[in-house]
């Protein structure tokens, strides 16, 4: 029985992976889940203020995981990662000629930059600084956490006091693989990274937000059981 659905934002709730436009039909579908007693939560690399705003106005009730697993909210706010020196944002952007996200001002543990293309020199720089670096396809992320979204998802499920087998996750990028390891049913939208599709129980026929609509229909029809 699915009691909680956790959804990535960028590339999953948007109209496509190269867009920041929210697919409104996906939000409508997820609210149908809430009306049927299945809570919905958000999991993202975005900052807590951004996710909390979306979460509140989408009218979801399953909590959220922000900053790639470092910040968790469900009736209480929990930080599960070590804070990062935010002055590194300016240093990194100058060294590698990338744009520091406007959200970095509101973050405490995970800094992000665009464009999202990683280089060997960036990886070596992060390693020498004792940091971890990855790309979501939307942005480069730097933090002190090696575990990614998984640590935050694990904490959120703990706060719900439910079993991971009762949780379904939907994502699209390589940063969602750690997230998928913590849920019972793994769903990749149709335009996901290939490595995400390989670990998913289901891959939707439709892309991004339309894929979310597709999987919600299956949930409400009782067609998901966690098997390929």
């Amino acid at each position: 029985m699915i009691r909680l659905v956790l959804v990535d934002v960028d590339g999953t709730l948007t109209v496509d992976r190269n867009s920041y436009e929210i697919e409104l039909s996906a939000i409508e579908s997820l609210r149908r889940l809430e009306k049927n007693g299945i809570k919905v939560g958000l999991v993202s690399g975005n900052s807590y203020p951004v996710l909390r705003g979306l979460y509140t106005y989408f009218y979801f009730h399953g909590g959220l995981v922000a900053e790639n697993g470092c910040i968790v909210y469900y009736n209480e706010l929990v930080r599960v990662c070590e804070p990062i020196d935010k002055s590194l944002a300016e240093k990194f952007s100058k060294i590698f000629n990338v744009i520091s996200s406007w959200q970095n001002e509101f973050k405490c543990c995970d800094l992000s930059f665009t464009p999202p293309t990683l280089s060997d020199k960036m990886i070596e720089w992060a390693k020498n600084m004792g940091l971890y670096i990855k790309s979501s396809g939307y942005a480069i992320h730097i933090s002190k956490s090696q575990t990614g979204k998984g640590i935050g998802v694990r904490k959120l499920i703990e706060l719900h006091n439910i079993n991971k087998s009762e949780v379904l996750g939907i994502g699209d990028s390589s940063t969602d693989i750690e997230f998928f390891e913590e849920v019972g049913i793994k769903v990749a939208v149709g335009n996901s990274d290939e490595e995400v599709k390989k670990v998913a129980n289901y891959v939707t026929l439709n892309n991004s937000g339309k894929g979310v609509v597709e999987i919600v229909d299956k949930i409400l029809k009782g067609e998901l059981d966690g098997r390929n």
Side-chain angles (χ1 to χ4, degrees), residues 4 10 12 39-40 49 57 66 77 79 87 94-95 98 113 131 135 139 145 160 200-201 203 206 208:
L4 175 65
D10 296 318
T12 304
K39 291 183 178 180
V40 177
Y57 285 98
L77 188 62
R79 190 186 73 205
S87 69
K94 286 183 178 179
I95 292 170
V98 292
F113 308 83
L131 303 170
S135 174
S145 173
H160 275 271
N201 301 112
V203 178
N206 294 293
S208 296

Side-chain angles (χ1 to χ4, degrees), residues 48 52 55 61-66 70-80 152 155-161:
Y48 172 72
R52 184 64 188 273
Y55 175 79
H61 299 87
L64 61 87
V65 176
C70 289
I71 305 295
V72 178
Y73 172 77
Y74 181 63
N75 299 326
E76 61 178 301
L77 188 62
V78 182
R79 190 186 73 205
V80 294
K155 180 63 179 179
L156 179 58
I157 293 172
E158 177 187 315
L159 292 174
H160 275 271
N161 194 28

Side-chain angles (χ1 to χ4, degrees), residues 46-94:
N46 285 299
S47 65
Y48 172 72
V50 168
L51 273 199
R52 184 64 188 273
L54 291 173
Y55 175 79
T56 299
Y57 285 98
F58 289 165
Y59 206 61
F60 295 160
H61 299 87
L64 61 87
V65 176
E67 294 195 37
N68 279 317
C70 289
I71 305 295
V72 178
Y73 172 77
Y74 181 63
N75 299 326
E76 61 178 301
L77 188 62
V78 182
R79 190 186 73 205
V80 294
C81 300
E82 187 179 348
I84 193 170
D85 179 0
K86 293 205 288 186
S87 69
L88 290 173
E90 183 178 356
K91 293 176 183 177
F92 185 81
S93 62
K94 286 183 178 179

